[in-house]
Amino acid sequence: MLHLALYQPDIPQNTGTMLRMAACLGVAVEIIEPAGFDVSDRNLRRSGMDYLDHVAITRHRSWDAFQAWREAAGRRLVLATTAGSVPYTQHAFRDGDCVLMGRESAGVPEAVHAAAEARVVVPIRPGLRSLNVAVCAAMILGEAIRQAG
């Protein structure tokens, strides 16, 4: 099973959207805290709707707690980043990969970049900064599911 990890998410609507997507695609979600909002059903229900009951969500108190879980589970970390050099369509995804999305406001710190076994990018037109984090997650997970079967 693939996993989607959200590094200290800032916006509950984006998080809810990604949780709904994960429920539909059969992807487990790891939320790495602290988040920029109270991670509760109340804050996620509007965009996640009743799909929240159909997704496996694990909350990790910190990056270190997430790393300990990931290493014990033997999951490869694939970071989605605008600083990535490999287009996500050219990366070889494997079943069990954990795709990590950064904070909407700041991405991830260098220590997180260094911990990733792979850094992928969604190529966009020159002069534009980035896509919405939920849109990127959907594109990358779609490709990862296609490859992993």
Side-chain angles (χ1 to χ4, degrees):
M1 170 185 277
L2 292 166
H3 286 247
L4 174 64
L6 310 178
Y7 182 84
Q8 300 179 355
D10 289 337
I11 302 172
Q13 295 86 349
N14 284 337
T15 301
T17 297
M18 289 185 281
L19 292 173
R20 181 178 178 180
M21 174 196 57
C24 290
L25 298 178
V27 173
V29 177
E30 313 300 322
I31 298 177
I32 303 163
E33 298 184 0
F37 58 91
D38 175 31
V39 181
S40 65
D41 278 3
R42 181 175 180 268
N43 284 327
L44 300 173
R45 281 279 165 205
R46 182 172 178 152
S47 52
M49 300 177 14
D50 57 340
Y51 292 82
L52 298 182
D53 298 331
H54 302 281
V55 62
I57 303 168
T58 303
R59 292 169 59 181
H60 302 273
R61 292 184 199 195
S62 66
W63 168 251
D64 290 339
F66 168 77
Q67 275 292 81
W69 166 83
R70 185 181 71 80
E71 289 171 2
R75 299 210 178 273
R76 186 172 65 156
L77 187 63
V78 179
L79 175 63
T81 173
T82 57
S85 59
V86 176
Y88 75 101
T89 54
Q90 293 177 13
H91 177 71
F93 289 95
R94 298 189 304 234
D95 189 33
D97 278 352
C98 189
V99 176
L100 176 64
M101 308 305 294
R103 294 183 80 164
E104 294 91 340
S105 63
V108 298
E110 272 308 309
V112 174
H113 272 270
E117 283 87 3
R119 288 166 245 7
V120 299
V121 64
V122 175
I124 61 174
R125 291 173 44 203
L128 301 177
R129 288 188 316 272
S130 65
L131 290 166
N132 175 278
V133 67
V135 171
C136 284
M139 293 172 71
I140 294 168
L141 284 174
E143 177 64 14
I145 290 168
R146 184 191 73 77
Q147 288 184 25

